[in-house]
Amino acid sequence: METPTAVAAGAVLTFFGSALLLWCAAELRLRHHLRRHGIPATARVVADGDPYGEPYGDTFGELDSAPLLSYTALPEVEVVSVRGAAEAGRARAVRAAETVLARPRGTTPLRRPARLVPGALVQVMYDARRPSRVVLAGTDLLPTLATDVFWALLGTGALAGGLSLFASLLAR
């Protein structure tokens, strides 16, 4: 391989592999944190539709592997500092309870499992600061080890390929 081609290919593979490994690590950390410290809720799987409200030719909502979940997030209360001495330290509700539509993190099977059909109730854990960050919890936890290993191996392979191209250039 010529030197400019090897440098370009090595840079692309190294960048892609590094970015993919960083993304995998961040996603695993986020899912682990939400499962340990998130707020539990019961969510309902809702059928997907296009932006105009028409269902895509999928009447049962099984084509998308990551289901669309609807749940109610708890209201967030924040202590707001006010300039008046009499008002200082009073708590005011910043946001009322809201219904959130979100897709769970880490669910990428080829087909949606039968227990995640529209209308089914599932247990989830969500982030109080960002209610749209949600993971499946409890018995509805989908095994994600296979996909996590696949993405980690793809990132490691790309990084190793890029670094080996750079090493071959240095060995010349």
Side-chain angles (χ1 to χ4, degrees), residues 31-56:
R31 288 191 321 232
H32 181 70
H33 177 75
L34 285 177
R35 287 191 180 115
R36 288 186 147 219
H37 304 290
I39 297 175
T42 301
R44 182 173 301 277
V45 178
V46 296
D48 295 335
D50 69 4
Y52 304 106
E54 298 293 324
Y56 289 117

Side-chain angles (χ1 to χ4, degrees), residues 8-94:
V12 167
L13 285 173
T14 302
F15 177 75
F16 175 72
S18 301
L20 191 56
L21 286 175
L22 284 173
W23 174 77
C24 286
E27 188 71 22
L28 281 172
R29 186 174 184 275
L30 174 70
R31 288 191 321 232
H32 181 70
H33 177 75
L34 285 177
R35 287 191 180 115
R36 288 186 147 219
H37 304 290
I39 297 175
T42 301
R44 182 173 301 277
V45 178
V46 296
D48 295 335
D50 69 4
Y52 304 106
E54 298 293 324
Y56 289 117
D58 179 23
T59 56
F60 299 108
E62 297 171 341
L63 290 180
D64 192 358
S65 61
L68 187 62
L69 302 175
S70 172
Y71 59 95
T72 303
L74 294 175
E76 183 180 332
V77 176
E78 182 179 320
V79 175
V80 180
S81 62
V82 183
R83 293 189 182 208
E87 297 281 328
R90 282 196 187 166
R92 294 190 307 187
V94 174

